[in-house]
Amino acid sequence: IGAKGTYSELHIDAFQSNFWMGLMQGRKRWTFFKPEDMHELEPKWHGNTLDPTFSLSPHDDRDMAQIKARCTFTQLILQPGQVLFVPAGSPHFVENLDDTVAISGNYIDTSNRHKAAQELKIQGLTDTRAASLAHWLTASDWVARADKSISAMIRSCEGR
């Protein structure tokens, strides 16, 4: 649930996760940047995380002028009833144009599992929870069970 006029700052979703959102009410403006332009957005890393924060704020007119001069970006307005997919590693920010109601989630699958595991292994040097997740994502028995379950769901959706 988001109030009209609220927004996220420029960010990349944590742990190289993919993201999806289904919007039920209101409208959201999404602005996406090419991952290769990330350095132009002035990323900074803090503490034990590999997830950057950004010095430039798209909500500041002077910063946005710099962003427009340096980067290629795409904007879209998500409407009620639409679902959006954000691939891992995509810098973006979001603005609520109306009061909104949405369902969303971050996830790791075969498209980003290796990158997520690498990031979690590095964080695991100082955080035992991250190390445990990295181990889980790379355990061959878990991967085999997950692949089998995903294949079964796909076959079921296809009516096989």
Side-chain angles (χ1 to χ4, degrees):
I1 296 176
K4 179 179 180 175
T6 58
Y7 55 85
S8 73
E9 286 295 342
L10 181 59
H11 67 283
I12 295 174
D13 289 341
F15 306 119
Q16 291 292 319
S17 61
N18 292 319
F19 176 82
W20 67 272
M21 172 177 281
L23 187 62
M24 292 175 277
Q25 177 182 315
R27 298 171 303 135
K28 291 179 173 273
R29 178 184 298 124
W30 288 76
T31 303
F32 295 95
F33 297 89
K34 292 181 175 182
E36 56 268 23
D37 284 346
M38 185 174 79
H39 67 283
E40 297 290 356
L41 299 168
E42 299 182 11
K44 293 185 190 269
W45 288 265
H46 304 278
N48 298 330
T49 181
L50 297 177
D51 303 318
T53 59
F54 295 91
S55 299
L56 296 177
S57 172
H59 308 291
D60 178 281
D61 290 339
R62 284 179 284 173
D63 284 358
M64 193 59 190
Q66 288 182 49
I67 291 170
K68 285 180 177 179
R70 297 176 184 179
C71 302
T72 301
F73 62 91
T74 301
Q75 288 187 321
L76 65 88
I77 296 180
L78 190 64
Q79 303 285 345
Q82 294 181 323
V83 175
L84 177 73
F85 169 72
V86 180
S90 300
H92 62 280
F93 68 93
V94 186
E95 304 163 274
N96 290 318
L97 302 176
D98 305 311
D99 291 338
T100 61
V101 177
I103 297 175
S104 63
N106 290 78
Y107 67 96
I108 296 168
D109 64 10
T110 56
S111 72
N112 60 341
R113 182 174 58 85
H114 293 292
K115 287 181 181 178
Q118 287 174 337
E119 202 165 294
L120 286 163
K121 280 181 186 178
I122 293 168
Q123 288 187 350
L125 296 173
T126 58
D127 182 341
T128 57
R129 294 169 302 168
S132 177
L133 285 171
H135 173 75
W136 183 66
L137 284 174
T138 56
S140 60
D141 61 327
W142 179 84
V143 172
R145 285 194 319 270
D147 287 347
K148 184 177 179 181
S149 295
I150 291 168
S151 295
M153 284 190 304
I154 291 169
R155 282 192 306 277
S156 174
C157 291
E158 293 174 341
R160 296 190 280 152

